[in-house]
Every structure is written in structure tokens, then in C-alpha cells.
Amino acid sequence: MTRKNKLAVLIMILIGAGIFIYEARDLNGAQLIHELLTLDLKWLLVAFLLMFGSWIIETFVVQIFIRSEADDLDFKTALRVPLVEQLFNAITPMASGGQPAQLFALMQSGVEAGRASSVLLMKFVVYQFMVLINFVLTLFIGFDQVSKHFGALALFIVFGFVIHVVVIVGLLMVMYYYKFTKKLVNLVMIPIGWFVKPEKKLAMQSNLDHKIDTFYAESLHLKREKKRVIKACLLTLVQLLFYYAVPYFVLLSLGVSHVSIVKVIVLHVMIVMIVSLFPIPGGTGGAEYSFKTLFATYVASPSKLILGMLLWRFLTYYLGMICGIIAMAFPPKSKRT
């Protein structure tokens, strides 16, 4: 890790600690300690296992896409990819560092850059589709409940949904309407040119054209690898289900057992959608606020709510950072050496 990345990790940990201290400022310290000491550890262990299980399933997805006559990754080497992704998703705005970090991890393992890019593209497209499917299902199940009680957050949820739909539509247009998409992008660039210098507009258009060309070329692999894509889709659905179920078992560890797992999963999907809109790494601030707001209806005790927020945040955010740092510390032996 570079000095800049280490600094980013430290800053995010300090911000997270600051948020927890601020949220706990009015709580009874003795009560908070009591809640911590009386945690039902078996349910907390289940939450840990679900989180690790989601990364293991993502590892299988990496292996499915990378496997060919020329390339293959053993489980230990492939596991490093999602762990490194967790770290760089956590310390970069809008999780923008996850994809380059995975590319670097695959190349360290001896996978050729073009092949690695193709694998990550297929993995990204599958993941985005499965996230959208999960979100659409939860909209039907629980959005009405969220919109009635949390109007402002409901607007964020809708906005997040629109952004994901736009991303998916954009990907599909490049895959199936390549020439039309390039013409459409060129038309969009015309009004942008009214506000930026000609050389900057040219650079932006050239960059967009290059990305569209690259994505289209790589998307051809998706069309040829239907069986792999279907397997990856099913595994990714399970991966997301594991991840979305984590707060349910955190609540059980706190003795909150009157909430159904379906409701908790719905609320967690909504939180993830809201967090994706915040440009701060990890959606810090927005994630904690969303959890506290959405789960306050079901957790009457303020100390349990804050402790639940801390445990959930540790499992779904900081644990990934820790595992990613460990993965970075042990680079794999490249097949080329």
C-alpha cells in the first residue's frame, strides 16, 4: 500500500470513530457496556460467517470467469481479489478504486492485463444486474413502508434506483446498440462544448469513445460465455443475500428478535442504495445515519441501536478493510515467475 492509501485508511477509521463517539455522546456508558457484555455471540458469529461467506462466493465467481485453457487461479489466490476490492472500495469516493485494485491483483497473479480486464468487466456487469434485481424485488416488498415513515430517505432511494437503471441501460446500449450509442454520446457532447474549452471537450470525447470501444469489445465475451454468466448470476444472488442478511443477525445478537429477516433485508438493501449516492468513501456519515433512521422503529433502546450500528458498520465496512490490508501484505506468487 502507498502512503496515500495508508493515510486514507487512517482517516476513514478516525472519521468512523468520531461518528460513533458523537452518536453515543448522550448514552449511559454503563448501559452501553452492559449491552456489549450481554451480546449473544452465536448470532454475532453467524453475521461474521455471512460476511466471509459473501467474499468466498465472490471468489468462486472470479474463478468461474478466469478459468480457461490458458488461465486458472487456485482458491487462495482468487480470494485475494475480492478482499483487495473491499479495501479500495472502502477508501475511495464512490468505490472508484475497487476495479483498478482488482485488475492489479489479477495481474500480480500472472493473469494477462487484457484477460483480467475482460474478467472484471463480466463480473461488474453481472453484479450490477443482480443488485438491480434485488432492489426491484425489495421495492415491491417494502418501499411503501419506507416512504410512509421516512419521506426524505425515500427520495434518496428513488434517486439511487434511477442511477443504477441508467448504468444498466447504458451498458446494454453499448452491448447491443454500439453505433447508436456512440452517435448519442457525440450529440450529448455538443452542448457540453458550450461550457468547456475545445481542447478539453476533445479530450473528454476521446476518453469516452475509448471506454465505449473497450467495453463493446469486452462485452462480446459476455455473449459467448452464457453458461458462465448464468452460474455467476446465481452465485452473485446468493452472495448479495448473505451480505444483506448481516444486520438481521446483528439485531439477534442484541436480543432484538421481533423483526422478520425479510424486513431487515429490505431495509439493508435500501441503506446500500442510499450509501451509493454519497461521494465520501464508504458513504461514511450517510451509512450510519441511514441505519439509525431506518432501524430506530424496531430497536427501542438507544444503546442497542448505536451498538447495532457500530457492529453492522464494522462487519460490512471495517472488516473488509482489515482483510484487504492483510491480503495486500501477502502478494501471490505470479505464474510467470
Side-chain angles (χ1 to χ4, degrees), residues 116-133:
S117 297
S118 176
V119 167
L120 293 179
L121 173 67
M122 290 189 284
K123 180 172 170 285
F124 173 77
V125 172
V126 166
Y127 184 81
Q128 290 299 318
F129 268 104
M130 294 306 103
V131 166
L132 186 63
I133 288 173

Side-chain angles (χ1 to χ4, degrees), residues 40-99:
D40 191 334
L41 297 181
K42 71 173 180 293
W43 294 123
L44 196 58
L45 176 61
V46 173
F48 268 94
L49 293 175
L50 284 174
M51 204 62 235
F52 280 112
S54 70
W55 298 331
I56 289 171
I57 293 172
E58 187 175 350
T59 301
F60 293 150
V61 173
V62 172
Q63 287 184 303
I64 285 172
F65 281 137
I66 206 74
R67 190 172 293 122
S68 68
E69 292 181 3
D71 287 308
D72 197 6
L73 289 182
D74 61 79
F75 179 81
K76 181 180 177 181
T77 304
L79 177 61
R80 189 169 177 269
V81 176
L83 295 182
V84 169
E85 176 193 14
Q86 289 295 313
L87 171 61
F88 285 90
N89 277 348
I91 64 175
T92 53
M94 309 294 286
S96 57
Q99 285 290 104

Side-chain angles (χ1 to χ4, degrees), residues 132 254 313:
L132 186 63
L254 290 165
R313 193 63 169 149

Side-chain angles (χ1 to χ4, degrees), residues 58-316:
E58 187 175 350
T59 301
F60 293 150
V61 173
V62 172
Q63 287 184 303
I64 285 172
F65 281 137
I66 206 74
R67 190 172 293 122
S68 68
E69 292 181 3
D71 287 308
D72 197 6
L73 289 182
D74 61 79
F75 179 81
K76 181 180 177 181
T77 304
L79 177 61
R80 189 169 177 269
V81 176
L83 295 182
V84 169
E85 176 193 14
Q86 289 295 313
L87 171 61
F88 285 90
N89 277 348
I91 64 175
T92 53
M94 309 294 286
S96 57
Q99 285 290 104
Q102 290 180 88
L103 178 62
F104 176 73
L106 285 174
M107 291 175 64
Q108 273 191 317
S109 303
V111 181
E112 188 269 329
R115 174 70 175 158
S117 297
S118 176
V119 167
L120 293 179
L121 173 67
M122 290 189 284
K123 180 172 170 285
F124 173 77
V125 172
V126 166
Y127 184 81
Q128 290 299 318
F129 268 104
M130 294 306 103
V131 166
L132 186 63
I133 288 173
N134 273 276
F135 187 63
V136 169
L137 290 174
T138 55
L139 278 179
F140 285 110
I141 296 171
F143 181 74
D144 182 59
Q145 173 192 357
V146 174
S147 62
K148 283 180 180 178
H149 298 285
F150 316 105
L153 286 181
L155 293 176
F156 277 109
I157 293 167
V158 172
F159 188 47
F161 173 68
V162 170
I163 289 177
H164 274 74
V165 169
V166 169
V167 170
I168 294 298
V169 170
L171 293 173
L172 289 174
M173 286 183 66
V174 174
M175 289 174 67
Y176 294 100
Y177 302 99
Y178 168 68
K179 293 182 179 178
F180 173 76
T181 304
K182 292 202 73 170
K183 291 179 181 178
L184 187 61
V185 169
N186 291 335
L187 286 174
V188 171
M189 290 302 300
I190 293 175
I192 293 177
W194 301 340
F195 304 98
V196 299
K197 294 180 179 180
E199 57 271 20
K200 188 173 182 180
K201 177 199 169 186
L202 186 63
M204 290 172 62
Q205 186 160 353
S206 176
N207 185 42
L208 282 172
D209 285 341
H210 174 70
K211 288 184 176 180
I212 291 172
D213 291 342
T214 302
F215 180 79
Y216 176 72
E218 297 295 344
S219 70
L220 297 177
H221 292 289
L222 279 172
K223 299 175 184 178
R224 292 195 295 263
E225 303 284 355
K226 292 180 181 178
K227 288 185 179 179
R228 293 191 189 192
V229 170
I230 292 172
K231 287 181 182 178
C233 285
L234 295 175
L235 284 173
T236 303
L237 278 175
V238 177
Q239 173 198 345
L240 289 169
L241 182 62
F242 278 19
Y243 173 71
Y244 291 141
V246 167
Y248 175 72
F249 293 97
V250 169
L251 293 179
L252 286 183
S253 73
L254 290 165
V256 181
S257 57
H258 58 276
V259 185
S260 76
I261 189 171
V262 174
K263 285 185 178 179
V264 172
I265 288 175
V266 167
L267 291 178
H268 198 195
V269 171
M270 302 295 179
I271 290 172
V272 173
M273 192 60 64
I274 293 169
V275 169
S276 68
L277 299 176
F278 284 78
I280 302 172
T284 302
E288 292 83 356
Y289 173 76
S290 301
F291 183 94
K292 185 180 175 183
T293 303
L294 293 177
F295 282 98
T297 306
Y298 304 102
V299 185
S301 168
S303 56
K304 283 187 177 182
L305 181 61
I306 298 303
L307 184 56
M309 181 189 76
L310 174 65
L311 292 171
W312 163 75
R313 193 63 169 149
F314 174 77
L315 287 169
T316 60

Side-chain angles (χ1 to χ4, degrees), residues 1-14 52 55 79-91 101 104-105 108 314 317-332:
M1 287 179 64
T2 65
R3 182 177 297 179
K4 182 178 178 182
N5 291 332
K6 292 177 181 178
L7 179 61
V9 170
L10 178 61
I11 290 172
M12 297 318 300
I13 291 174
L14 291 176
F52 280 112
W55 298 331
L79 177 61
R80 189 169 177 269
V81 176
L83 295 182
V84 169
E85 176 193 14
Q86 289 295 313
L87 171 61
F88 285 90
N89 277 348
I91 64 175
F104 176 73
Q108 273 191 317
F314 174 77
Y317 182 64
Y318 295 104
L319 182 61
M321 289 174 61
I322 293 169
C323 292
I325 291 171
I326 295 172
M328 287 290 292
F330 297 96

